[in-house]
Amino acid sequence: RGELQASEELRQAADTLSRSPAALQLRYLQTLLELGADQNSTIVFPLPIDIIGPFLDKLPTAVNGTAVARRNP
């Protein structure tokens, strides 16, 4: 019975967050804030590849002055 109630509440939360991408982002940032409250924490901050891709393209140039083309799968 407890699992059923928990799954229903998760579904409701997912429905609510799916209607507002900004709400999901705010929840994500709130979670990071809570994790960072402990000074002995390590936080892994995942970023979508489409955001960091342009930076990765420039990385070889910044490191050794030569550009390496990134292959698209």
Side-chain angles (χ1 to χ4, degrees), residues 24-25 28-29 31-32 35 42-53:
L24 181 58
Q25 184 67 24
Y28 182 67
L29 293 173
T31 301
L32 287 175
L35 289 172
T42 298
I43 298 175
V44 177
F45 193 78
L47 293 172
I49 194 67
D50 57 330
I51 291 175
I52 62 171

Side-chain angles (χ1 to χ4, degrees):
R1 184 174 176 114
E3 291 295 322
L4 179 61
Q5 182 180 358
S7 67
E8 178 62 26
E9 290 177 10
L10 282 172
R11 185 191 60 77
Q12 290 173 357
D15 289 344
T16 300
L17 291 172
S18 70
R19 287 189 298 253
S20 176
L24 181 58
Q25 184 67 24
L26 287 173
R27 182 64 189 128
Y28 182 67
L29 293 173
Q30 179 65 34
T31 301
L32 287 175
L33 181 65
E34 291 170 8
L35 289 172
D38 181 12
Q39 293 181 0
N40 296 322
S41 298
T42 298
I43 298 175
V44 177
F45 193 78
L47 293 172
I49 194 67
D50 57 330
I51 291 175
I52 62 171
F55 298 106
L56 293 176
D57 287 340
K58 296 188 182 308
L59 184 62
T61 303
V63 172
N64 64 12
T66 59
V68 176
R70 215 173 92 203
R71 286 191 268 172
N72 291 327

